[in-house]
Amino acid sequence: MNIGQAAEASGVSAKMIRYYEEIGLIAPPARTGNNYRVYGADQVHVLRFIKRARSLGFSLEETETLLKLWQDKSRTSAAVKDVATSHINDLERRIAEMQGMVKTLKHLSHCCGGDHRPDCPILDDLAGDSQAHTHNV
Amino acid sequence: MNIGQAAEASGVSAKMIRYYEEIGLIAPPARTGNNYRVYGADQVHVLRFIKRARSLGFSLEETETLLKLWQDKSRTSAAVKDVATSHINDLERRIAEMQGMVKTLKHLSHCCGGDHRPDCPILDDLAGDSQAHTHNV
DNA sequence: CTTGACCTTCCCATGATGGGAAGGCCTACA
DNA sequence: TGTAGGCCTTCCCATCATGGGAAGGTCAAG
């Protein structure tokens, strides 16, 4: 299987497959006489594993850890769970951060007329105008 | 005021102030005879505006738009609100995406023993083992 | 024999930020 | 007067994951 077909089969672009090889995430595949990379079902399986891990938001570094655990038959499930848990914590931290932004922005937007006039509490807030923090009740 | 003091006063690092100047987000400041950048209260105000916009998750490109609107006295608040609204939508999309990841990960973690044994539904899921999607009820 | 679809490597760009080197300037202190 | 250290300057490099594209080799079908 050439790289294009492996990309098709795994959902990982050819560009990324080469990159993963370059950074040592995956092993260099065999080459044909014309220097083309050749992949088998096993490598495609690994690529799909990576793809799935990435889609769950794991970094390539975390993905590498998970890949090694996957291939280590003497791993403990606790080790895997640790990786997952710290990733969950990271995601939840980022979610909370963004939710804070959304909350502020929605409040400001709500207070903004959104009309033809220039007066805008959103800009007032960005400009540090404390007036903007006052709720017009 | 030198760049270090402007950084201190605005909360934007000297490194970033120079970068914002380089990309045209802020105007090049005056220079002293020894080629040092000099900032006044106005420039610090702009930097604080940028800082605040960044803390609300606006990209530098969006921040530039907001800065221009801020400085344009004939702006409409609708124009500002549009920028804020599309940013809110973007944040909410990303939040939902991450929440989906968290949901899946929590489910898998819940199903994972987290003990000394190697059996792990998290890895099974990443490996595409459909068994892992089965809820053990 | 040509055309088009592959493949190869190499370089560059993204977005926002930090690190650090090499060198210039200024101030305080001995 | 010399020097130490704390600023400043520009320039280059690294991050993280991905894509774009050029220049050139290979292969299969027509």
Side-chain angles (χ1 to χ4, degrees):
Chain A
M1 202 186 324
N2 283 343
I3 199 170
Q5 296 161 298
E8 180 76 15
S10 65
V12 179
S13 73
K15 209 91 184 179
M16 278 302 101
I17 296 176
R18 292 193 197 96
Y19 175 66
Y20 292 161
E21 178 188 336
E22 187 193 333
I23 64 171
L25 183 61
I26 59 178
R31 300 274 187 146
T32 59
N34 52 27
N35 204 30
Y36 286 12
R37 290 172 178 82
V38 195
Y39 299 89
D42 281 6
Q43 280 100 329
V44 169
H45 199 183
V46 168
L47 289 170
R48 292 177 65 85
F49 182 102
I50 295 170
K51 174 87 178 170
R52 174 74 176 144
R54 295 286 303 125
S55 79
L56 287 176
F58 287 105
S59 68
L60 286 185
E61 198 177 353
E62 289 165 327
T63 300
E64 188 175 13
T65 303
L66 291 168
L67 254 181
K68 282 178 182 159
L69 286 169
W70 183 39
Q71 282 150 2
D72 175 8
K73 294 305 176 196
S74 70
R75 70 184 168 249
T76 64
S77 65
V80 183
K81 197 169 182 173
D82 281 354
V83 176
T85 301
S86 75
H87 180 45
I88 289 170
N89 290 339
D90 190 46
L91 285 170
E92 289 189 326
R93 189 185 47 72
R94 284 154 54 195
I95 287 169
E97 193 181 353
M98 289 195 280
Q99 279 172 338
M101 295 173 182
V102 167
K103 188 178 173 190
T104 302
L105 287 166
K106 280 195 168 175
H107 170 64
L108 293 172
S109 273
H110 180 70
C111 294
C112 172
D115 52 32
H116 63 286
R117 289 171 301 168
D119 313 270
C120 178
I122 301 171
L123 291 181
D124 290 345
D125 177 278
L126 292 173
D129 184 343
S130 64
Q131 189 80 14
H133 294 291
T134 306
H135 292 214
N136 298 359
V137 186
Chain B
M1 203 185 325
N2 283 342
I3 198 170
Q5 296 161 299
E8 179 75 15
S10 65
V12 178
S13 73
K15 211 86 183 184
M16 278 302 102
I17 296 176
R18 292 193 197 97
Y19 175 65
Y20 294 162
E21 178 188 336
E22 188 193 331
I23 65 171
L25 182 61
I26 60 178
R31 301 276 186 142
T32 59
N34 52 26
N35 204 30
Y36 287 11
R37 291 171 176 82
V38 194
Y39 299 90
D42 281 7
Q43 280 100 329
V44 170
H45 199 183
V46 167
L47 288 170
R48 291 178 65 86
F49 182 103
I50 294 171
K51 174 86 177 170
R52 174 73 177 146
R54 295 286 303 124
S55 80
L56 287 175
F58 287 105
S59 68
L60 286 185
E61 197 176 354
E62 289 165 326
T63 300
E64 188 176 13
T65 303
L66 291 168
L67 255 183
K68 283 177 181 159
L69 286 169
W70 183 40
Q71 284 151 1
D72 175 8
K73 294 306 176 193
S74 69
R75 71 186 168 248
T76 64
S77 65
V80 183
K81 197 168 181 171
D82 281 355
V83 176
T85 301
S86 77
H87 180 45
I88 289 170
N89 290 340
D90 190 45
L91 284 170
E92 289 189 325
R93 188 184 46 71
R94 284 154 54 195
I95 287 169
E97 193 181 352
M98 288 195 279
Q99 279 173 337
M101 294 174 182
V102 168
K103 188 179 174 187
T104 301
L105 287 166
K106 281 194 167 176
H107 170 64
L108 293 172
S109 274
H110 179 70
C111 294
C112 172
D115 53 31
H116 63 285
R117 287 171 302 167
D119 314 271
C120 179
I122 301 172
L123 291 180
D124 290 344
D125 178 278
L126 292 174
D129 183 345
S130 62
Q131 189 80 12
H133 295 293
T134 306
H135 294 216
N136 296 2
V137 187

